[in-house]
Amino acid sequence: MEKWNMSPASKDSLEIDIAPDIETLVSSLMCKTVVTGQFTEETKRIYQLRITVRQQSAKLIKFMFFPGWWHLPFQEVKVMKAAHRETQSLVKKMVIRRLEEMKNGARNEGDVLSLMLEAYQDEASGVSLDDVIEVCRSFHFVGPESTTRSQIWMMYLLAKHPEWQERARQEVLQVFGEKKPNVQGLYKLKTVTMIMYEALRLYPPTVIFHRSISKDTKLGDMVLPAWIQISIPLILMHHDPDIWGEDATQFNPERFAEGGSFNSRMQLLTFTWGPKKCTGESMAVVIHKTLIATLLQGFSFQLSPSYLHAPKHVFLLAPEHGMKLLVRKFV
C-alpha cells in the first residue's frame, strides 16, 4: 500500500499489476514470520529457485501427464531436479541451525518451525527431523505459490463484482473500522469468508492433483493395483453442475452461506482431504482474510480495460498476462 503511494485526496485511479506485489508480500509473510523467524539469504534464494521451477514447468507442462516424465533426459528436468535438491539443502541448513540455537538456550520464536522442533525433541511425538524439513520445504516452496495464486484470483473476483466488493467492505468496516484487522475479528467476516471459498472453488490454485496408491485398493467396483497414479481433476469437480447446481460456473458466494458444511461432504477439495490434506490451510485462510480486509479498508478495485482474462495452468493456475486492476484510494 505504501508502494502504490496514492494520495488520499486523489480521485484518479492507478493501473497496477497486483500479481508481483501479492507474490512478494505472501512470500515475505510465510518466510519471515512463520518458518524462519527472519528473511534470510536462504529464503531469498529459495524464492529465486521457485521462479526457476515455474519457468521450467511451463516448458514441460505437456509431458507432465505421462508417468515417468520426471526421468526424461531433458535439460528442463535436470534444472528442476537441481533446484529441488538445492531447496532441500537450504531448508535443511535452516532447520539444523535453528535446532542448534534451541539446544543452546535460544528462545522459542513462536513460529511453525519452533513448534515442530519442540515436537521433534519430544520422543513420544513420533515427529522425525525429516518430517520437519519436509513441512518447512512445503511452506517455503509450495505454500507461497498456491496462496499467492488464490489471493490474485480473489482480487480479480472482487474487482469484477463491485456489488460483492462493497458488501465485503461494509462488513470489514463494521468489524474493524479503521483499526488493523485482528484474528478475533476475522472469524466475524462471514461475507469475506463466502467470497474466499467461492474464489477457491472457481479458481483453485491447481486444477489437478495426483495420488499414488501404496497397496492394492478397492474403489467402488474397481480394484486398483499398487503404485499406480490417480489424477483427480479438481477444476472439473469444482465446476460440476451435479455437485454445485446449474450455476456452477458462475460467481455466487451465497452457496457458502452455511459455512463449512460443504467440507463434511468433501465438495471443496482446494486443500485436498485425508492424511495428505494441506498442512497450511489455516494459515492460508488467515492470510487471505487479512489481506482482503486490509486492502478493502484502503482501496477500491476495478478491472483495467487492458486486462486480458487468460487463466493458464503452469504448475499452478495463474493469469497469463498478469492481474491489471484500476486501484483507487478509498475515502
Side-chain angles (χ1 to χ4, degrees), residues 35-49:
V35 179
T36 65
Q38 55 184 339
F39 206 60
T40 64
E41 291 301 319
E42 289 94 344
T43 55
K44 292 177 182 177
R45 176 57 182 159
I46 291 172
Y47 180 86
Q48 295 170 346
L49 291 169

Side-chain angles (χ1 to χ4, degrees), residues 45-321:
R45 176 57 182 159
I46 291 172
Y47 180 86
Q48 295 170 346
L49 291 169
R50 283 211 322 270
I51 295 175
T52 297
V53 170
R54 189 192 311 160
Q55 292 170 341
Q56 303 309 312
S57 297
K59 300 175 183 178
L60 291 168
I61 189 66
K62 61 183 177 182
F63 296 104
M64 289 184 175
F65 292 96
F66 294 96
W69 70 269
W70 187 246
H71 303 289
L72 294 173
F74 296 159
Q75 180 62 27
E76 293 84 359
V77 175
K78 294 178 181 178
V79 172
M80 289 179 68
K81 287 183 176 180
H84 280 286
R85 285 196 298 268
E86 186 176 353
T87 300
Q88 191 79 1
S89 176
L90 290 169
V91 171
K92 184 175 181 179
K93 180 180 178 181
M94 290 188 291
V95 170
I96 296 299
R97 183 172 63 227
R98 175 70 70 81
L99 179 60
E100 293 300 320
E101 291 172 353
M102 291 177 67
K103 288 181 177 179
N104 291 328
R107 67 182 181 89
N108 187 326
E109 295 286 350
D111 59 12
V112 174
L113 179 54
S114 293
L115 294 173
M116 288 192 297
L117 286 175
E118 282 189 348
Y120 161 68
Q121 295 179 82
D122 178 4
E123 294 183 359
S125 70
V127 176
S128 70
L129 193 60
D130 286 340
D131 293 333
V132 177
I133 293 171
E134 179 58 26
V135 171
C136 284
R137 189 189 68 81
S138 295
F139 270 116
H140 274 299
F141 212 80
V142 181
E145 288 277 350
S146 57
T147 307
T148 294
R149 301 294 165 257
S150 299
Q151 184 68 40
I152 290 171
W153 291 118
M154 288 176 198
M155 298 307 299
Y156 161 74
L157 290 168
L158 285 170
K160 186 178 180 181
H161 299 276
E163 70 283 5
W164 279 99
Q165 180 183 158
E166 186 57 28
R167 282 181 60 174
R169 179 179 291 106
Q170 292 306 315
E171 179 181 69
V172 168
L173 294 177
Q174 182 180 0
V175 174
F176 298 116
E178 297 182 358
K179 296 180 181 179
K180 291 183 179 180
N182 55 64
V183 175
Q184 291 73 23
L186 294 181
Y187 290 103
K188 301 177 183 179
L189 299 179
K190 180 179 178 180
T191 300
V192 170
T193 301
M194 290 159 54
I195 292 171
M196 177 190 69
Y197 281 129
E198 180 69 342
L200 291 171
R201 182 187 73 84
L202 286 172
Y203 297 95
T206 184
V207 302
I208 190 169
F209 61 87
H210 311 282
R211 290 290 181 265
S212 295
I213 300 174
S214 60
K215 60 182 179 181
D216 291 354
T217 302
K218 184 173 174 55
L219 186 64
D221 296 329
M222 299 182 292
V223 176
L224 306 177
W227 302 115
I228 69 166
Q229 179 175 281
I230 294 178
S231 297
I232 302 173
L234 201 64
I235 196 74
L236 297 182
M237 296 175 66
H238 282 187
H239 290 75
D240 188 343
D242 291 337
I243 299 175
W244 300 98
E246 292 302 318
D247 66 341
T249 60
Q250 304 301 313
F251 178 71
N252 178 19
E254 291 288 357
R255 72 179 83 247
F256 292 105
E258 296 180 7
S261 60
F262 58 88
N263 258 346
S264 63
R265 301 190 296 272
M266 290 189 288
Q267 292 172 286
L268 188 73
L269 290 175
T270 302
F271 298 103
T272 73
W273 200 257
K276 290 290 186 179
K277 188 176 182 180
C278 175
T279 57
E281 177 181 358
S282 297
M283 176 186 167
V285 167
V286 169
I287 288 177
H288 288 320
K289 290 185 181 181
T290 302
L291 293 188
I292 289 175
T294 304
L295 289 169
L296 290 180
Q297 282 178 318
F299 300 95
S300 62
F301 303 89
Q302 292 177 262
L303 288 178
S304 168
S306 63
Y307 171 71
L308 180 61
H309 191 58
K312 184 177 182 180
H313 185 254
V314 181
F315 185 55
L316 294 169
L317 188 66
E320 184 176 5
H321 306 292

